[in-house]
Amino acid sequence: MIVWPGVPYPLGAVFDGTGTNFAVFSASAKSVELCLFDEHGVEQRIELPESTGGVFHGYLPEVVAGQRYGFRVHGEYDPRRGLRADPTKLLLDPYARAIEGRVTWSEHVFSHPLHAGRQSADSAAYVPRSIVVNPYFVWGDDKRPRTSWHDTVIYEAHVRGLTMTHPDIPEKLRGTYAGLAHPAMLRHYAMLGVTAIELMPVHHFVHDHRLAQLGLRNYWGYNSIGYFAPHGQYSSVGDHGGQVAEFKAMVRGLHAAGIEVILDVVYNHTGEGDHNGPTLCFRGLDNAAYYRLAPDNERYIDYTGCGNSMNMRHPHVLQLIMDSLRYWVLEMHVDGFRFDLASALARELHEVDRLSAFFDLIQQDPVISQVKLIAEPWDVGEGGYQVGNFPPLWSEWNGQYRDTVRDFWRGAERKLGEFAYRFTGSSDLYASGGRSPHASINFVTCHDGFTLRDLVSYEEKHNQANGEQNRDGESHNRTWNCGVEGDTTDPAVLALRAKQTRNFLVTLFLSQGVPMLLAGDELGRTQRGNNNAYCQDGPLSWVDWVGRDLALGDFCRRLIRLRRRHPVFRRRRWFEGVQVHSSNLSDIGWFKPDGGPMSEHDWQVAFARALGVFLNGDALPAAGLRGERVQDDSFYLFFNAGSAPVSYVIPSELGEPEWQLLIDTDVGFVEKRTRWASGVTMDIDPHSLRLYRRSYAAAGALPG
């Protein structure tokens, strides 16, 4: 096999149409062998001839796209010094564009002996292969939707689980990238009105050893091992490189339908686990460079709860992450990223550093800084909960929004003030840092926890199927089962659950900020009370398209359309509580059930669970795209999260024009016209929300 010196960058295996350049980083290696495999698994080893700045490289003019390969690293093996080079272990390329196969769990994949006196054995027959990929793809006239943040509605979905039961998708395409962009799914996204799909991890990942022993799988995929490779299991054409073209075709199809693609990325740890884990890639290449080592150098610092933490202090780790992000934007055309356990990425020494090198690199990068960036603003380490503390470029999953909205609708005490902050965009968390309402990604449910249906049906987790005696998963879920745990045929309980579901959805889609809907919640999906279905790759986790709740889906569709039509629900600037334009009313008003304005004391009343809010459509400070004044209808919402009916008085400040009752969560959308009279009392049922609209054409009837 002919080998030329090649070049040290770009890293990975780069096919140029005639041959392939291989380059891999390892500052601790003495030599690196490139291992080529034919279709029968026969291995040919070739030592990479050059080393430049810790990068071993070589160009092979006879190697073309489709070639299976891996690396073997020769060097010191001394875990007490953080050194774990082991040439008996075939290693994945950290920059592999595609990965074929999966780990077959055997003692061969571990560098340390599992039995006394046993020597390390060759792992090649038990681990995946990297694949040389043809980078050429016809994108045609693909254009990024570039949806503005204030117009964005996110749909969090799992590639496999979203389509596995869809009857209109061919069986071969279910659970695949192609299935995600099938016309049947494109029709659903359009009907629903979402603008972006946030995909749970699609970087190639490992199914954990412990789960394999239990007959389970890492369904969620938060166990990455390849940061450039789309997970092969999600490809309808197999994993011998075809998954790359299929992923690109999926993005192209979604873009054509106006849907952005956001990836949930896991750069905080890898699938190699703790010091007792397998040697698959980074551990064998340069353990001390890629991982945060404990003071004894043998174990890992773990801010993630997954056994290891990536070493964000090392320039080659930062380079790996930045190269990966740019690859997915430039080559795969994705539109943004949600960073799992993002606080772990900000740890340079111990504390979470808002000005860490990682954020500096993101801020100045001309590619990555221009896409949507979302942080999961916590990790499991000390001081890791950082909601509200990320830099201005970032939006965040707002865990405080989730907790407060759940608490409010289950009738918890002393929640009115906090609920008001969450409903109006969480200015207490984001405004002081120069951020806008879109910094808050609002959600009531996500992949981690109960589905929306289960949120109103269970107060206890039911995770027995996970094999951990129900010890896993969050125990404090802030839920209310409406009187019965789990399934019931009681019509009163079912009606209350349906109403609570509507309460959550109306609150979510009419709050300031960016709403995120968990896929399947619009269809009434249940996980039977399992709030940690990370290992459940089956009907328990898949979206049920056959038994879907069509009425609930229509309610979600109308809610999202209502939000899209009215800019008062998706403001680009914060409420100021002052009069704007010619109106005598401020941009927002809060009212007690007796019609009087809320006082400082009223916000602190422990038992208070009802309030009204007026949103002034004539007071939108942000201009339109061409500088025009933006004017909208005005809305009045009345919330009653208590267990008793509330008689509320029409606030005198709102005058007496004609209003339209749009939503009563007792029944859903009603669109009933009514003429208000100041001081008139109206009744609202327990656990209910009402939304009224006044056309801006009637604004002349307001005082002043």
Side-chain angles (χ1 to χ4, degrees):
M1 182 72 69
I2 300 172
V3 185
W4 299 340
V7 293
Y9 193 84
L11 292 162
V14 179
F15 174 62
D16 61 10
T18 59
T20 302
N21 188 83
F22 294 88
V24 62
F25 165 75
S26 178
S28 63
K30 294 181 178 178
S31 64
V32 175
E33 288 180 309
L34 170 67
C35 307
L36 304 178
F37 295 85
D38 65 17
E39 62 272 18
H40 304 294
V42 177
E43 179 181 358
Q44 180 180 6
R45 302 185 187 182
I46 302 156
E47 184 173 341
L48 292 176
E50 297 289 331
S51 177
T52 305
V55 175
F56 291 81
H57 53 93
Y59 181 89
L60 281 72
E62 299 175 33
V63 171
V64 298
Q67 175 66 58
R68 301 169 175 89
Y69 73 99
F71 296 114
R72 295 182 187 271
V73 171
H74 295 263
E76 294 187 67
Y77 183 84
D78 186 355
R80 291 173 297 180
R81 294 166 52 210
L83 303 172
R84 293 179 179 265
D86 181 357
T88 69
K89 299 296 168 274
L90 182 72
L91 305 176
L92 288 167
D93 180 0
Y95 280 72
R97 270 51 170 181
I99 294 173
E100 180 186 62
R102 61 191 64 181
V103 176
T104 300
W105 288 104
S106 159
E107 59 185 6
H108 297 75
V109 304
F110 299 92
S111 288
H112 58 279
L114 300 184
H115 307 290
R118 179 190 165 276
Q119 298 299 312
S120 184
D122 194 283
S123 68
Y126 303 90
V127 295
R129 310 279 193 266
S130 304
I131 303 291
V132 178
V133 169
N134 186 338
Y136 305 106
F137 181 80
V138 179
W139 282 102
D141 59 354
D142 179 65
K143 292 183 177 62
R144 301 182 188 279
R146 299 189 184 279
T147 306
S148 61
W149 265 120
H150 65 278
D151 290 330
T152 297
V153 177
I154 298 174
Y155 190 62
E156 191 199 20
H158 188 285
V159 172
R160 181 167 165 81
L162 183 58
T163 61
M164 281 298 293
T165 71
H166 202 300
D168 297 332
I169 297 177
E171 187 172 352
K172 182 181 179 181
L173 300 184
R174 295 176 190 170
T176 70
Y177 304 120
L180 200 79
H182 186 273
M185 292 308 304
L186 297 180
R187 289 192 295 270
H188 181 71
Y189 310 141
M191 178 277 297
L192 192 56
V194 296
T195 68
I197 294 182
E198 183 177 301
L199 295 178
M200 292 175 65
V202 298
H203 289 166
H204 196 90
F205 60 86
V206 177
H207 294 288
D208 316 52
H209 186 204
R210 183 187 66 82
L211 293 179
Q213 291 177 314
L214 294 172
L216 301 171
R217 300 159 63 84
N218 192 317
Y219 172 69
W220 285 354
Y222 290 92
N223 213 28
S224 301
I225 199 66
Y227 292 121
F228 293 76
H231 191 64
Q233 181 188 3
Y234 301 155
S235 172
S236 66
V237 296
D239 59 0
H240 190 54
Q243 63 264 46
V244 178
E246 184 172 339
F247 185 94
K248 291 178 177 179
M250 175 199 74
V251 173
R252 184 179 60 191
L254 290 169
H255 281 178
I259 305 294
E260 293 184 310
V261 179
I262 299 172
L263 300 187
D264 193 338
V265 290
V266 190
Y267 294 114
N268 54 76
H269 74 280
T270 80
E272 289 185 303
D274 64 15
H275 63 288
N276 289 319
T279 299
L280 304 174
C281 180
F282 307 96
R283 193 195 310 275
L285 283 169
D286 196 329
N287 183 60
Y290 282 108
Y291 293 120
R292 291 287 297 271
L293 301 184
D296 64 4
N297 286 321
E298 192 166 1
R299 299 174 184 270
Y300 299 110
I301 293 174
D302 182 11
Y303 294 121
T304 67
C306 299
N308 63 60
S309 300
M310 290 289 275
N311 185 8
M312 300 301 295
R313 298 178 295 181
H314 197 284
H316 277 278
V317 174
L318 291 172
Q319 179 186 19
L320 169 74
I321 295 174
M322 298 300 290
D323 285 347
S324 170
L325 292 169
R326 278 190 292 268
Y327 174 78
W328 287 96
V329 174
L330 296 176
E331 297 296 327
M332 308 296 262
H333 287 206
V334 305
D335 304 282
F337 304 95
R338 178 265 190 189
F339 292 79
D340 177 66
L341 300 181
S343 293
L345 301 175
R347 293 183 183 270
E348 291 199 334
L349 295 175
H350 174 74
E351 299 83 3
V352 177
D353 181 3
R354 180 174 175 178
L355 300 178
S356 71
F358 175 68
F359 293 121
D360 292 343
L361 289 172
I362 293 287
Q363 182 72 41
Q364 61 81 40
D365 190 274
V367 174
I368 306 169
S369 64
Q370 300 305 303
V371 301
K372 287 184 167 68
L373 301 172
I374 304 170
E376 182 185 36
W378 50 78
D379 63 21
V380 300
E382 182 181 352
Y385 191 79
Q386 293 292 319
V387 172
N389 292 331
F390 277 69
L393 192 64
W394 292 70
S395 294
E396 302 174 16
W397 271 27
N398 190 344
Q400 292 194 33
Y401 180 94
R402 171 200 60 202
D403 295 345
T404 300
V405 171
R406 289 185 179 192
D407 275 343
F408 176 78
W409 280 114
R410 71 189 179 107
E413 292 187 349
R414 301 187 186 278
K415 288 297 175 181
L416 282 189
E418 191 173 357
F419 178 78
Y421 271 123
R422 304 301 152 246
F423 183 73
T424 54
S426 297
S427 59
D428 58 326
L429 300 177
Y430 303 113
S432 63
R435 303 166 78 179
S436 301
H438 73 246
S440 179
I441 305 297
N442 300 330
F443 64 103
V444 177
T445 57
C446 65
H447 69 273
D448 188 1
F450 286 129
T451 66
L452 184 56
R453 177 173 168 181
D454 290 355
L455 190 69
V456 300
S457 304
Y458 295 89
E459 293 183 9
E460 304 293 335
K461 61 186 180 182
H462 297 268
N463 299 352
Q464 289 81 2
N466 296 354
E468 299 183 46
Q469 291 76 51
N470 206 36
R471 293 191 300 265
D472 63 304
E474 177 60 56
S475 296
H476 181 47
N477 293 281
R478 306 170 189 268
T479 62
W480 178 43
N481 62 19
C482 299
V484 176
E485 183 73 0
D487 289 340
T488 182
T489 58
D490 187 323
V493 173
L494 293 175
L496 180 54
R497 288 177 177 177
K499 180 163 61 172
Q500 283 287 81
T501 299
R502 290 189 286 268
N503 288 334
F504 281 122
L505 290 171
V506 174
T507 304
L508 174 66
F509 287 113
L510 301 191
S511 293
Q512 304 300 321
V514 179
M516 184 182 77
L517 178 70
L518 174 62
D521 275 356
E522 78 278 18
L523 306 175
R525 183 173 77 91
T526 178
Q527 291 178 170
R528 305 295 179 190
N530 191 317
N531 74 349
N532 190 35
Y534 76 103
C535 57
Q536 298 297 326
D537 187 2
L540 186 72
S541 291
W542 300 341
V543 174
D544 181 7
W545 291 95
V546 177
R548 61 188 183 271
D549 185 335
L550 296 177
L552 182 59
D554 184 64
F555 184 75
C556 283
R557 175 187 65 81
R558 298 180 71 178
L559 265 178
I560 295 174
R561 183 174 62 179
L562 178 69
R563 177 186 179 87
R564 184 173 63 246
R565 288 181 173 178
H566 294 285
V568 72
F569 297 122
R570 42 188 178 82
R571 292 168 56 101
R572 287 175 283 164
R573 299 182 187 175
W574 301 107
F575 289 106
E576 298 179 2
V578 297
Q579 296 176 5
V580 182
H581 304 309
S582 60
S583 173
N584 282 345
L585 295 169
S586 65
D587 53 3
I588 189 169
W590 299 98
F591 298 96
K592 296 181 293 185
D594 66 6
M598 292 285 289
S599 68
E600 188 64 31
H601 170 75
D602 295 325
W603 291 113
Q604 309 303 323
V605 176
F607 57 82
R609 294 177 177 83
L611 80 162
V613 56
F614 170 70
L615 305 177
N616 192 345
D618 193 45
L620 299 176
L625 292 177
R626 292 176 172 82
E628 73 276 14
R629 176 184 173 185
V630 177
Q631 192 173 24
D632 193 12
D633 297 340
S634 293
F635 291 85
Y636 185 79
L637 297 93
F638 195 86
F639 302 88
N640 179 17
S643 57
V646 171
S647 296
Y648 68 95
V649 179
I650 304 302
S652 59
E653 289 89 340
L654 301 187
E656 300 183 6
E658 184 178 88
W659 288 72
Q660 182 183 30
L661 176 61
L662 283 185
I663 298 174
D664 181 342
T665 54
D666 276 338
V667 292
F669 278 85
V670 291
E671 300 189 5
K672 176 183 177 182
R673 295 190 179 277
T674 182
R675 180 166 291 278
W676 280 7
S678 297
V680 169
T681 299
M682 304 178 74
D683 295 325
I684 183 170
D685 289 336
H687 315 296
S688 294
L689 181 156
R690 286 188 185 178
L691 173 70
Y692 294 91
R693 179 178 67 186
R694 187 198 67 216
S695 170
Y696 67 80
L702 288 174

